[in-house]
């Protein structure tokens, strides 16, 4: 998914239909982040702590569309692949270009990394 499409979802009425997962580290969130209580931070470096919980359905809902975000799109692609291949999620999107491109193209107010 492009950052422009992602921006439309964030600003639209349908935002609540999606789970938004940010896999960046807490220090990265301090530098640049999207506002909202609906952003779920699951740092990829801590996958050992949350991966089983996702597979078992304790974290996230496999039936809801899920948007994965990171700095430029590489870590979020790993998360998207995990959700589809190991956790049985059906509708998962990686945000191409991540928060960096989102801040450059769509919304500079999120900050820069």
């Amino acid at each position: 998914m492009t950052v422009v499409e992602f921006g439309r979802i964030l600003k639209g009425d349908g935002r609540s239909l999606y789970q938004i997962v940010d896999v960046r580290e807490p220090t990265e969130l301090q530098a640049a982040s999207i506002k909202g209580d609906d952003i779920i931070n699951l740092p990829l470096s801590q996958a050992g702590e949350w991966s089983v919980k996702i597979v078992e359905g304790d974290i996230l809902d496999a039936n809801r569309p899920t948007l994965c975000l990171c700095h430029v799109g590489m870590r979020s692609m790993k998360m998207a692949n995990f959700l589809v291949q190991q956790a049985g999620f059906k509708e998962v999107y990686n945000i191409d270009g991540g928060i960096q491109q989102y801040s450059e193209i769509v919304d500079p107010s999120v900050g820069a990394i």
Side-chain angles (χ1 to χ4, degrees):
M1 173 180 293
T2 69
V3 293
V4 173
E5 293 168 318
F6 180 55
R8 286 188 194 119
I9 289 170
L10 290 178
K11 294 173 182 159
D13 294 336
R15 178 174 173 157
S16 63
L17 300 175
Y18 296 86
Q19 299 175 109
I20 305 168
V21 180
D22 191 330
V23 300
R24 294 178 301 136
E25 299 299 316
T27 54
E28 292 177 280
L29 297 176
Q30 292 172 358
S33 62
I34 295 169
K35 298 202 184 330
D37 294 337
D38 57 343
I39 309 293
I40 302 160
N41 180 231
L42 297 173
L44 198 61
S45 67
Q46 298 173 18
E49 298 175 24
W50 50 252
S51 58
V52 172
K53 293 177 183 177
I54 289 176
V55 171
E56 293 176 348
D58 296 332
I59 301 175
L60 303 179
D61 181 348
N63 297 309
R64 287 181 63 200
T66 305
L67 309 176
C68 299
L69 175 72
C70 70
H71 182 186
V72 296
M74 297 303 293
R75 286 175 287 171
S76 55
M77 180 59 79
K78 289 179 184 179
M79 173 61 120
N81 288 335
F82 164 79
L83 293 175
V84 171
Q85 296 170 3
Q86 296 181 35
F89 282 56
K90 303 290 184 229
E91 193 174 353
V92 179
Y93 304 92
N94 181 50
I95 310 306
D96 296 326
I99 192 84
Q100 179 176 321
Q101 196 170 69
Y102 180 80
S103 69
E104 292 170 0
I105 296 174
V106 180
D107 185 0
S109 73
V110 301
I113 296 177

